[in-house]
Structures are given as C-alpha cells and as structure tokens.
C-alpha cells in the first residue's frame, strides 16, 4: 500500500506498537475526534518504564545508582505522575501547581525535586513544609528559603544549583559558582540541609556533562570538608532520543535542503536553521531529530568517559554519590501522538497549495526551530472525496500568514479529503503542551490516556 502522505524528502517517524494499533483503525480515530474535538492528544505511558529502565540499568552496570526524576514540564497530563511513580521514578517540578498535584496524589516528598526557575513564597513554603527538596538558584531565593525555614522552625532540604564555569561549557543564567555557594553557606547556611548538587545544561552534549560532573565532584569535596553531607549529583535533563527510523533519511533531508536553491521544499524557502549550505546539517539551535546514541547507550558512554585520570563513573562511585537526572523528552519518547482533522484544501494567491487542519501551531511546537517528522495520514470511511494527487503545506487556525503546522512541503499521492486525519507522531515530550495557547479563545486540545484498551480523558482515571 502506498502511503497517503510523505515529506519531501521523507522523514519517517519511529512508532510504538500501540501507535500502529491505533493507526490501523482510522474510523476509531475519527470517532475520537468527533467525541473530543480536534486537535486531540493521545497518550500511552507504557514506554515510560522501559525508557527509565534503560537509564537505571546503564548506571547499575557501571556500579552507579541512578535516580530518575521525570521533568514534569515536558507533559501536562496528570496521568504522567502515577506513571512515573509506578516506573520507580520521581518528578522534577517547576511551579506551585506542579508540586501541589504531586503531593495531592500522594507522591512521597523524597521523590520530588523543585527546580522552578523562579520560585515564589507559596511554592517555597509548600516545598519546605512538605520536606521536598528545592534546587536553589540564587542568593535572593536562598534568603527566602532561610527565612521560611526559620519561621517554620525547621531546616530546608536543598540541592545547590551549580553554574559550571569550565571554559568549554557555554555560559549559563542558571545557578551560582562553587565559590559563591561556599561563601553563602559560611555566613548563612545553618538552616539548609545540603543534600545534593544540581546542574542542568542546555543542549545534549555529552562531553559538557562529563566536565560538569567533574566540577560538581570537586565542589562536593569542598562542601563535605565544610561539614555538608552531600549524597548526590543531579545532572538535570538533556538526555538524547531519536524520533526517526534511520540516520539515512536525516542526512538525506539536510543534503536535499542544502541543494534546494529555489526554496521549494519548505514554506517560502525557510532554511530551517540551515545556516551554511556547504555544511548540509542543521544548526545546533535545532533539535536533532535523529541521534546516534540515546538514553542507556548514551549514559553508558558518558559514565565511561575518561576525566581527571579516572572515569565519570568512578568519580561518582569513589565518593559514594548517587547520580540523579531529570529527563523530559527522552523518557516520554513513544508516549504520545496528536491527531487533527482536515477541514479545507485551497491555494494561496500565488498558487501555493494548502491543507487546513482544525488545530493551531502552538499545539505541536518545541522551543527549538522546528523541523518535524512526516505526519502519518488516515482516511476514515466517512472522509469526503479526495482531491487529485499533489503536494501541500499544512496550515492551522490562527489568523496569521505564518500559521504553518509544518514548514515542510508534503506529498499526497492519493490526494487529500475533508475528514482525513493528520497524525503527528511522538508529541508527548514537549511538542503537545509546552507552548500550547488558547489564543482566539479556541479551546486547548483534550488529552486522552490509553487504559485497558480504552481512551479515557486524563484526570478521570
Ligand atoms: C527542562 C528541564 C529538564 C528536562 O530537559 P529535557 O531536555 O527534556 O531532558 C530537566 N531539568 C530542568 C531543570 C529543566 O529545566
């Protein structure tokens, strides 16, 4: 069977068995859209446990105890909380609401860390009085923590966010240097229970993380000398995953784009972050949709990397340190898809063919410049008469010229019908939620969770 849709050139997305089962029944997908509206997010947290297990096993094989705290901000579904706990993980929360939801659902305090970039007093008070660890970012916030702890008559559990200063690691707005923290603790540290050192680096570079681990270890040596019994390093997120079946299509796509002098492959010739055509690969600002090493293999390589005359793993084991991490995207790999219904076909005033979807571009966006994988395309039995075979760009509901769902040209070998369904693969990690907006007062997409063969609205478990 020829597929109903592919990108030019194709970027074929990796799927999970539950996704293929869903895609095999276009009429069921149409029924779900009729019942819950378009766009619609479908979640199955089955792969979460497997993904988390890859990380803990990779550590265990090298004698390193790994604790996984799923980055809550990567997906809003309430069901993610119990799925993470059932998979033996904890949660990394970034707001009062995210923390409250976890506590209300009975997540143990020791399984939560607060890493919010800005922490108000309500969030800090709830965390401190619940004995949840707070990752401290700056001196003003730490002064608030000390004041709340004094008022409550307790000590606050904290991890210190380290701003890594190694010249090979890019500068960061997050955390403070080891010297700044040590100076603060000398003067005002008595109400702080310093249990860990935290960092979260932008991007996915493995070597940067090795250097950061080494810097965190020497910081911990100084903290322990000063009487703080630090037990772990939390290396944040940024663990790679792959959205694509194979490397070949990823390379071929960038080569084709580099050679596309007329700008036909993308919306109005968008370069999609390709800064230098001679390089035929994306800029680092773009999420690498294909990566050679992911999760377990990546962590094994990281822990085996030589550093300071030893290995990263031995830096940890020789100090009896646990390694914690806060992956978002990589553990949500395989956990979601987003469906949207075709409402119109047309061309622009200058003849560019368009397909209009009942969704808007904030319902599938990351914070990187986006190149997305090919949607899968479904034609339910109630779809209308298809158009002639052709090509088109997908547009959405916001009244903006640049309202593109995908900035890539797609081919439709069997035309497009009203009532067709575009299925965007692997959207659970950020893509469905991180930027979604109810602009134009359009409702947000509903979230359904796969449970015992049924699709249940999230939160109604
Ligand atoms: C966003 C974030 C994460 C998750 O990052 P991923 O790239 O999804 O793994 C983890 N920790 C902190 C502090 C974050 O801000």
């Amino acid at each position: 069977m020829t597929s109903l849709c592919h990108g030019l050139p194709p970027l074929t997305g990796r799927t999970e068995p539950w996704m293929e089962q869903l895609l095999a029944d276009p009429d069921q997908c149409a029924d779900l859209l009729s019942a819950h509206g378009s766009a619609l997010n479908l979640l199955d947290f089955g792969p979460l446990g497997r993904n988390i297990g890859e990380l803990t096993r990779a550590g265990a094989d090298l004698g390193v105890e790994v604790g996984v705290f799923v980055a809550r901000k990567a997906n809003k579904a309430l069901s993610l909380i119990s799925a993470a706990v059932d998979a033996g993980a904890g949660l990394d929360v970034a707001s009062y609401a995210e923390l409250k939801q976890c506590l209300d659902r009975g997540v143990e305090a020791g399984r939560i860390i607060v890493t919010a970039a800005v922490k108000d007093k309500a969030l800090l008070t709830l965390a401190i009085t619940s004995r949840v660890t707070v990752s401290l970012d700056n001196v003003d916030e730490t002064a608030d923590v000390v004041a709340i702890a004094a008022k409550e008559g307790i000590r606050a559990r904290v991890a210190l966010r380290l701003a890594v200063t190694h010249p090979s690691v890019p500068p960061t707005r997050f955390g403070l240097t080891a010297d700044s923290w040590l100076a603060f603790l000398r003067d005002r540290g008595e109400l702080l229970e310093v249990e860990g050192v935290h960092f979260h680096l932008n991007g996915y570079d493995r070597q940067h993380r090795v250097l950061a681990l080494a810097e965190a270890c020497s910081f911990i040596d100084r903290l322990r000398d000063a009487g703080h019994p630090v037990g772990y390093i939390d290396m944040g997120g940024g663990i790679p995953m792959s959205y694509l079946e194979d490397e070949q299509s990823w390379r071929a796509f960038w080569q084709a784009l580099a050679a596309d002098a007329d700008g036909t492959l993308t919306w109005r010739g968008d370069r999609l972050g390709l800064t230098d055509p001679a390089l035929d690969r994306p800029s680092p600002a773009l999420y690498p949709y294909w990566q050679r090493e992911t999760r377990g293999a990546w962590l094994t390589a990281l822990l085996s990397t030589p550093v300071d005359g030893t290995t990263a793993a031995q830096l940890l084991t020789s100090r009896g340190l646990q390694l914690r991490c806060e992956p978002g995207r990589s553990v949500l790999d395989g956990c979601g898809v987003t469906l949207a219904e075709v409402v119109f076909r047309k061309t622009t005033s200058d003849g560019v063919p368009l397909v209009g979807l009942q969704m808007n571009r904030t319902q599938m966006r990351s914070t990187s410049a986006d190149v997305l994988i090919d949607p899968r395309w479904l034609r339910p039995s109630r779809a209308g008469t298809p158009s002639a075979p052709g090509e088109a760009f997908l547009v959405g509901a916001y009244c903006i010229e640049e309202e593109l769902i995908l900035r890539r040209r797609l081919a439709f070998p069997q035309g497009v019908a009203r009532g067709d369904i575009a299925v965007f693969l692997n959207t659970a990690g950020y893509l469905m939620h991180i930027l979604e907006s109810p602009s134009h007062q359009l409702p947000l997409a509903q979230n359904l969770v796969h449970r015992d063969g049924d699709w249940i609205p999230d939160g109604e478990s």
Side-chain angles (χ1 to χ4, degrees):
M1 194 185 76
T2 54
S3 88
L4 291 172
C5 171
H6 63 83
L8 293 165
L11 286 174
T12 305
R14 208 184 59 69
T15 57
E16 296 284 338
W18 72 264
M19 295 177 188
E20 291 299 341
Q21 214 177 8
L22 177 83
L23 292 161
D25 191 351
D27 286 343
Q28 186 200 11
C29 293
D31 290 344
L32 290 170
L33 284 168
S34 308
H36 302 282
S38 176
L40 181 64
N41 297 320
L42 300 181
L43 291 153
D44 182 324
F45 290 112
L48 187 80
R50 176 199 67 201
N51 295 338
I52 289 169
E54 261 189 53
L55 295 170
T56 49
R57 267 195 311 281
D61 287 348
L62 292 166
V64 177
E65 186 195 337
V66 171
V68 177
F69 291 69
V70 178
R72 183 78 180 95
K73 73 171 191 279
N75 192 284
K76 288 184 197 167
L78 287 167
S79 315
L80 173 58
I81 298 172
S82 50
V85 171
D86 291 348
L91 290 122
D92 154 29
V93 299
S95 70
Y96 180 89
E98 288 186 358
L99 174 58
K100 187 82 170 49
Q101 283 169 355
C102 289
L103 293 170
D104 287 350
R105 277 162 185 72
V107 181
E108 287 165 41
R111 290 226 195 174
I112 309 174
I113 182 162
V114 175
T115 63
V118 174
K119 307 178 184 76
D120 61 27
K121 295 211 173 85
L123 167 61
L124 290 175
T125 304
L126 180 62
I128 292 165
T129 55
S130 310
R131 299 289 292 150
V132 168
T133 302
V134 178
S135 167
L136 296 174
D137 176 74
N138 60 72
V139 166
D140 286 335
E141 160 181 300
T142 308
D144 285 348
V145 168
V146 170
I148 292 166
K151 182 160 160 263
E152 300 289 339
I154 50 179
R155 297 179 80 210
R157 293 175 71 175
V158 300
L160 303 177
R161 193 154 177 172
L162 176 66
V164 176
T165 55
H166 193 285
S168 305
V169 177
T172 176
R173 67 169 269 217
F174 292 113
L176 295 176
T177 61
D179 288 342
S180 313
W181 281 125
L182 287 160
F184 183 94
L185 291 175
R186 249 189 323 269
D187 298 340
R188 301 156 72 185
E190 61 293 340
L191 291 179
L192 302 178
E193 236 171 88
V194 182
E195 57 180 42
V197 166
H198 177 231
F199 60 83
H200 170 72
L201 307 181
N202 207 18
Y204 296 84
D205 192 287
R206 203 172 69 210
Q207 190 58 29
H208 290 167
R209 284 163 178 78
V210 172
L211 296 171
L213 279 178
E215 197 165 318
C217 282
S218 50
F219 180 29
I220 286 171
D221 293 343
R222 295 169 72 192
L223 284 167
R224 285 176 169 176
D225 285 347
H228 301 283
V230 179
Y232 62 83
I233 295 176
D234 182 336
M235 66 165 186
I239 296 173
M241 60 166 275
S242 265
Y243 289 79
L244 297 174
E245 283 287 4
D246 66 278
E247 175 176 12
Q248 170 48 28
S249 63
W250 181 241
R251 306 273 167 234
F253 175 78
W254 290 102
Q255 277 159 17
L257 191 63
D260 181 33
D262 300 336
T264 56
L265 295 180
T266 54
W267 177 252
R268 307 282 183 212
D270 190 333
R271 304 312 287 157
L272 301 176
L274 184 71
T275 42
D276 178 0
L279 286 175
D280 69 31
R281 63 183 139 83
S283 86
L286 195 114
Y287 182 77
Y289 280 80
W290 183 85
Q291 306 193 76
R292 181 171 294 114
E293 269 170 358
T294 63
R295 284 186 295 272
W298 179 88
L299 185 58
T300 301
L302 186 155
L303 290 171
S304 311
T305 303
V307 57
D308 295 352
T310 172
T311 63
Q314 280 158 9
L315 282 180
L316 295 163
T317 52
S318 65
R319 289 173 175 79
L321 289 169
Q322 186 195 29
L323 178 65
R324 296 187 177 186
C325 56
E326 300 159 349
R329 202 187 296 259
S330 59
V331 289
L332 286 161
D333 182 12
C335 294
V337 299
T338 299
L339 271 50
E341 186 177 335
V342 171
V343 284
F344 63 75
R345 299 135 317 159
K346 67 176 290 186
T347 55
T348 62
S349 61
D350 60 344
V352 180
L354 304 178
V355 168
L357 297 179
Q358 182 64 60
M359 79 181 281
N360 67 70
R361 71 192 149 116
T362 71
Q363 293 174 319
M364 194 189 51
R365 270 284 167 293
S366 76
T367 53
S368 315
D370 278 305
V371 178
L372 288 162
I373 52 182
D374 296 356
R376 295 279 289 266
W377 206 261
L378 303 180
R379 182 155 298 157
S381 48
R382 75 180 81 145
T385 310
S387 58
E391 297 171 356
F393 290 93
L394 302 181
V395 293
Y398 286 176
C399 303
I400 300 167
E401 284 289 351
E402 291 286 311
E403 170 69 354
L404 275 294
I405 304 297
L406 213 66
R407 301 181 76 84
R408 299 179 50 217
R409 182 182 290 267
L410 302 177
F412 296 93
Q414 299 175 54
V416 176
R418 301 190 75 192
D420 278 358
I421 300 170
V423 182
F424 300 101
L425 298 171
N426 223 343
T427 53
Y430 299 101
L431 298 175
M432 63 173 63
H433 285 155
I434 191 80
L435 293 179
E436 70 169 344
S437 113
S439 201
H440 303 35
Q441 304 195 36
L442 289 163
L444 298 179
Q446 300 279 301
N447 301 297
L448 305 185
V449 181
H450 207 192
R451 201 163 290 131
D452 304 326
D454 283 332
W455 290 99
I456 316 281
D458 178 50
E460 288 181 17
S461 55

